[in-house]
Amino acid sequence: MTERPQISEAYLEKPCEASVGYFCFSSATEPLICPAGSYCLTEGLSEATLCPAGSYCPEEGLSEATLCPAGTFNPDEGGKSVASCQKCPPGTFNPDEGGKISAADK
């Protein structure tokens, strides 16, 4: 019979360490990559942050959101692609990147 190697208690109690782009929920032993639609800006996070309105996060493991282009807007959190950014309806326009709403032309 082969003996199993001993695993130290220090190893078993090793805390999960999340780098930028990853997070560790409370009982995790290994970091999880932030999913598309969210980002993880700093080290040591316990949860991913949903991409805010006016932006999208198209890939896993991002540390920041991508702003919607000028002429579009995204009123919702958690956008996963540029398709989350809607074209402004006729009679409205958003001249800046990162629009959450589309304003009427003045």
Side-chain angles (χ1 to χ4, degrees), residues 6 11 14 19 21 23 28 46 62 65 67 73 79 82-83 89 97-98 103-104:
Q6 294 291 326
Y11 176 80
K14 180 183 172 198
S19 59
F23 69 100
S46 60
L62 294 178
L67 296 177
F73 70 103
V82 72
E97 293 180 324

Side-chain angles (χ1 to χ4, degrees), residues 1-103:
M1 182 179 340
T2 310
E3 285 189 39
R4 295 171 122 188
Q6 294 291 326
I7 299 174
S8 73
E9 286 190 35
Y11 176 80
L12 293 175
E13 295 176 9
K14 180 183 172 198
C16 180
E17 297 176 4
S19 59
V20 172
Y22 292 80
F23 69 100
C24 292
F25 58 88
S26 62
S27 63
T29 57
E30 294 292 323
L32 301 170
I33 193 164
C34 290
S38 67
Y39 66 101
C40 296
L41 180 63
T42 61
E43 296 178 354
L45 294 177
S46 60
E47 63 184 10
T49 303
L50 280 177
C51 285
S55 68
Y56 62 99
C57 297
E59 301 171 17
E60 296 179 329
L62 294 178
S63 61
E64 60 183 28
T66 302
L67 296 177
C68 289
T72 67
F73 70 103
N74 179 7
D76 302 315
E77 295 180 324
K80 295 181 181 178
S81 73
V82 72
S84 302
C85 306
Q86 306 165 33
K87 288 186 177 184
C88 294
T92 66
F93 185 71
N94 182 16
D96 301 315
E97 293 180 324
K100 298 174 188 171
I101 61 170
S102 187

